[in-house]
Amino acid sequence: MAAAPRQFADFRAALKAAYEEEISGEAFFATLGRHFGGRAAEALELFAEIERVTEAAIAPVARRHGLPDTPRDALRAEGAAEAQAVSTMGWHGFLDHVIADYPAYVAEFTDLRDRAEGDDAAVLQTLVDHEQALLDFARAERDASPASFARLYRYLSGFAAT
């Protein structure tokens, strides 16, 4: 069964969840990449980098809204533990998981962006774009498209100076 988008009571709660998940997501994908190896490891290293640059992009919005600092080590440990829990599903199983569940994140991030005021909406579009890049990659990779990695590199190209 595919994941459903979570409903958040307010903008700050949704922003906090998104921001913290970018931090834990970097560790999640890096850990998972070490488990899989090969082409999967290469893709998951890019996923981790995408999480890192996205977190850096939205950090100013998180600070502007006064989000409390959750210890990064705790978030990273959470991400690594989650990776251990899903590492048994195999590469194709993981791609199926992304295809089934990540549309919920796209919907959550779209809702967050739509709730934002002023310049925050443009910054939070990066959340939508990064999740869509991961989802597009998974679909293309599952279909054995030779251009699957292009989706990840295209997203990262917007952060070349970071």
Side-chain angles (χ1 to χ4, degrees):
M1 175 183 262
R6 297 170 291 180
Q7 301 298 313
F8 294 94
D10 60 36
F11 177 82
R12 286 184 79 236
L15 179 60
K16 183 178 188 299
Y19 182 66
E20 290 180 351
E21 288 169 1
E22 295 311 301
I23 297 167
S24 66
E26 181 181 357
F28 171 80
F29 293 125
T31 301
L32 205 54
R34 288 189 295 276
H35 171 77
F36 283 127
R39 181 178 177 83
E42 181 182 352
L44 291 163
E45 286 175 22
L46 291 170
F47 275 38
E49 179 65 8
I50 285 171
E51 296 290 281
R52 186 191 69 74
V53 300
T54 303
E55 180 267 325
I58 67 171
V61 175
R63 283 192 297 273
R64 197 166 34 259
H65 287 276
L67 294 185
D69 284 333
T70 302
R72 287 181 171 279
D73 290 344
L75 293 170
R76 288 184 181 117
E78 183 180 298
E82 187 179 336
Q84 293 297 329
V86 301
S87 65
T88 60
M89 66 176 54
W91 180 234
H92 288 287
F94 176 73
L95 294 172
D96 290 342
H97 162 72
V98 170
I99 293 165
D101 288 352
Y102 284 30
Y105 292 116
V106 172
E108 286 177 23
F109 296 152
T110 299
D111 180 63
L112 177 63
R113 180 208 58 210
D114 292 348
R115 290 180 176 197
E117 296 179 5
D119 294 338
D120 289 352
V123 174
L124 295 176
Q125 179 64 40
T126 62
L127 285 168
V128 177
D129 294 344
H130 100 287
E131 206 67 27
Q132 192 63 55
L134 302 180
L135 182 57
D136 290 347
F137 166 82
R139 289 175 175 148
E141 183 73 6
R142 193 67 170 110
D143 292 341
S145 169
S148 60
F149 278 78
R151 286 133 174 97
L152 304 177
Y153 287 117
R154 189 175 315 119
Y155 178 81
L156 286 170
S157 71
F159 299 91
T162 61

